[in-house]
Amino acid sequence: MLLKILIKMYRTHTCGELNANHIGQAVTLSGWVQKIRDLGAVIFIDLRDRYGITQLSFNENNRDLLEQARKLGREFVIQAKGKVVERASKNPKLPTGDIEILVEELEVLNESEIPPFTIEDETDGGEELRMKYRYLDIRRNPVKNNLIFRSKVTQLVRNYLADQGFIDVETPYLIKSTPEGARDFVVPSRMHPGHFYALPQSPQTFKQLLMVGGMDKYMQIVKCFRDEDLRADRQPEFTQIDCEMAFIEQEDILQTFEGLTKHLLKEIHGIEIADFPRISYEEAMRRYGNDKPDIRFGMEFGDLTEAAKGKGFNVFDQQEAILGIAVPGAATYTRKQIDKITDWVKRPQIGAKGMVYVKYNEDGSFKSSVDKFYSQDDLSEWAKITGANPGDLILVLSGNLDATRAQLSALRMEMAERLGLRKPDEFAPLWVVDFPLLEWDEDTGRYHAMHHPFTAPKPEDAHLLDTEPGKVRANAYDLVLNGNEIGGGSIRIHDKAMQAKMLNLLGFSDEEAQKQFGFLMNAFQYGAPPHGGIAFGLDRLVAILGGQETIRDFIAFPKNNAGRDVMIDAPDTISQEQLDELHLRIVE
Ligand code: ASP
């Protein structure tokens, strides 16, 4: 017996592909009703799918169909069969703008409620509403295109790394809590009362164990989870391009991942960048007050501490550091404009006490807020130190070194923003290397690992570990792009004794170290090869490559700024039954 299989052919073409070459063809399209224009005797409908928009037309030659079309609403899912015909009034803005479909058959595949916001490039929906109905937001070009762009980036990354011999290995999501870095998200175990899994902040220890396992080049595009207090544009779950290599030195990692970044910039933007600059952490802090400097523009720090002290200006005389930047072409700023900048640096988020300014006028003279104390020669010296040219405005902050650097760095970025120097289509990557191994934490009164506890000290600094641990540098590196840290990593410790020593330095007793990280140190006893790695923050990388700042816009289903998923309403309570099963009790 012959089985007749009925195949419903939903579409012969997409809504983005028909043009004048198809005129006369019979086609079937499926998609969403974007817009209906009812002119009485004719109805035009814009039909949308992922690929584009095609105009459907209905006229009085087929009154039944015209009536059917009249009943459609926005976002109805329909199937239309008809002929491709030339359009009377063409739309050169659309790839399909030369044609329309003269519809002969129409089927409603599903109806739709009136959407809560318009599904257009420029929508009337606020952010929260669009998050609640994210599936509708994804129908809009800006979000849809971002997701397609993200997919393109991940594809390029995978192909590039696969070509280099990297193996994609999945590591577990249910692991154990470790007291490093941020706070863990924990998952109670039903089968083991009082015991908890933790979601990984990164696959760090697993990728190191893969090196012990001989996997040699590992990569994974992987979700990581950090229960941090939410800052703007941070997500509690985010994605890393996580990589590790064995039998390599820092130089191999820098070369490999500079290669990857160059490949992305070339494939996506057609930009070829010569070798990425490299600067030490110490130099980055000195020149930009920041370990992720935006080098698309200058305004490097000038250290005025020596030049500005001892001239009778009390405020400066008492300070540890006096630092300035030359803002290009801003000498013509009015008093009011400068007052606004002063107010800006005094905001609690920045925290400066005040600001001194010097106008370097086009005629070569200087006018400053501290003319009483400093001669034209003094100010000329400041101009030299800050690299100011006639026409520039020198802005000076002072205080303790760390705070002043942070404040002036924020001001530098703000001025660049105001002057339009942070161009989204310009890309300026650099490596920051030689990070300190440890940083002193005033609150806990002990050292913290600047990168993480598995980072190796530079061999030439290792002798300082016992005497001056704060001075030890690490083979740790960050890849910075346009003022954002897009990747970071290090050469790791692969020796049990060194790992134990490091954990001691970080305040772990031998027992605690063994309990928390025994699995890793034990593995190091079985032939751990020298190794190191890096992880890129994929969400931010994609956003920057896409010329935007907000990572939420590149995540299909992001959390809001309070860490909530307002679409599925998470986090949420669970039933008493679930609590009991998990041996949990809520204490109010
Ligand atoms: N695991 C590190 C991180 O998440 C990256 C690395 O050292 O490879 O920052």
Side-chain angles (χ1 to χ4, degrees), residues 202 204 207 226 240 451-452 488-489 492 533-535:
S202 87
Q204 183 59 39
K207 66 174 172 175
R226 294 184 191 172
Q240 281 190 346
H451 187 51
H452 52 54
R492 327 296 187 190
I534 191 166

Side-chain angles (χ1 to χ4, degrees), residues 178-299:
T178 53
E180 39 118 6
R183 225 174 267 122
D184 286 324
F185 280 102
V186 294
V187 180
S189 162
R190 177 181 56 82
M191 290 195 289
H192 304 277
H195 287 67
F196 296 82
Y197 298 103
L199 302 179
Q201 295 182 30
S202 87
Q204 183 59 39
T205 49
F206 288 97
K207 66 174 172 175
Q208 292 191 240
L209 293 170
L210 285 170
M211 296 305 110
V212 182
M215 288 306 279
D216 159 303
K217 285 180 171 180
Y218 142 92
M219 68 82 59
Q220 185 182 192
I221 294 184
V222 61
K223 274 288 174 75
C224 301
F225 307 86
R226 294 184 191 172
D227 187 8
E228 288 173 304
D229 291 336
L230 291 157
R231 277 181 268 155
D233 210 27
R234 281 282 178 114
Q235 291 282 314
E237 59 176 299
F238 59 96
T239 308
Q240 281 190 346
I241 306 164
D242 193 45
C243 302
E244 195 79 3
M245 300 166 85
F247 302 116
I248 45 85
E249 292 185 331
Q250 169 166 308
E251 189 57 34
D252 302 290
I253 305 245
L254 300 194
Q255 292 289 347
T256 304
F257 292 94
E258 185 164 320
L260 169 65
T261 313
K262 282 182 181 169
H263 179 69
L264 294 176
L265 288 169
K266 172 99 196 300
E267 291 295 313
I268 293 166
H269 292 296
I271 295 174
E272 296 208 39
I273 295 188
D275 293 344
F276 296 1
R278 294 180 190 181
I279 64 174
S280 70
Y281 169 84
E282 200 273 323
E283 190 181 344
M285 295 307 286
R286 187 160 36 81
R287 287 168 58 186
Y288 304 99
N290 195 310
D291 61 5
K292 42 179 196 297
D294 191 337
I295 58 166
R296 282 175 293 182
F297 52 91
M299 282 196 267

Side-chain angles (χ1 to χ4, degrees), residues 478-495:
D478 277 355
L479 183 56
V480 175
L481 182 58
N482 296 359
N484 295 280
E485 178 206 323
I486 56 162
S490 61
I491 297 299
R492 327 296 187 190
I493 297 167
H494 63 280
D495 169 78

